[in-house]
Amino acid sequence: VNVKTLSAHSAIEHREFARIIFNFPHTGVANFKKESVESNQELLREIFRNAAKHLEEGGQLRITMRADPVYHAWRIMDQAEAVFGETGLAPVARERF
C-alpha cells in the first residue's frame, strides 16, 4: 500500500482500524545518497498524517525501524512531533526488539 495515497485505496478509503503497522518503511532511495534522509523523513510524516485518518479512537500506529545509524538519522520522533498537531497522534511507547 502506498502511504501517500492510502485514503484513495478502495479497500481502505472509508475504513478505520484499531491498529496500523508499517514495518521498515523506506522510500527506496539508496541510503548513501544525500536525498535519502530527507525523502525518508517525509515518508514518515506522510505515514503519520495518512494513518491517523484511518485509526479508530484510541487506535495505535506502530512503525518498526531498524536499530541502525542510517535509520536513526531519520529522527522518527522529530517527524512525529512535526505533525502531531495536525494528526492528533501522541507517542505512547518506544520499544526495542
Side-chain angles (χ1 to χ4, degrees), residues 41-55:
Q41 288 174 334
E42 177 58 29
L43 174 65
L44 290 170
R45 291 189 299 269
E46 290 294 326
I47 289 171
F48 292 122
R49 284 185 190 108
N50 291 313
K53 298 172 188 173
H54 295 282
L55 285 172

Side-chain angles (χ1 to χ4, degrees), residues 2 7 25 51 53 61 83 87:
N2 183 340
S7 292
K53 298 172 188 173
L61 170 60
V83 297
T87 64

Side-chain angles (χ1 to χ4, degrees), residues 6 17-22 50-52 54-55 60-63:
L6 193 62
F17 302 91
R19 189 173 294 127
I20 297 175
I21 301 169
F22 279 96
N50 291 313
H54 295 282
L55 285 172
Q60 297 179 351
L61 170 60
R62 296 182 178 203
I63 300 176

Side-chain angles (χ1 to χ4, degrees), residues 24 32 42 45 48 77 89:
F24 308 105
F32 64 85
E42 177 58 29
R45 291 189 299 269
F48 292 122
M77 291 306 294
L89 296 175

Side-chain angles (χ1 to χ4, degrees), residues 7 12 15 18 24-25 34-35 37 39 44-45 48 58 60-61 67 71 77 79 82 86 91 97:
S7 292
I12 297 172
R15 294 185 64 194
F24 308 105
K34 183 179 178 181
E35 61 271 14
V37 170
S39 70
L44 290 170
R45 291 189 299 269
F48 292 122
Q60 297 179 351
L61 170 60
Y71 299 91
M77 291 306 294
Q79 307 321 308
E86 59 187 273
F97 74 99

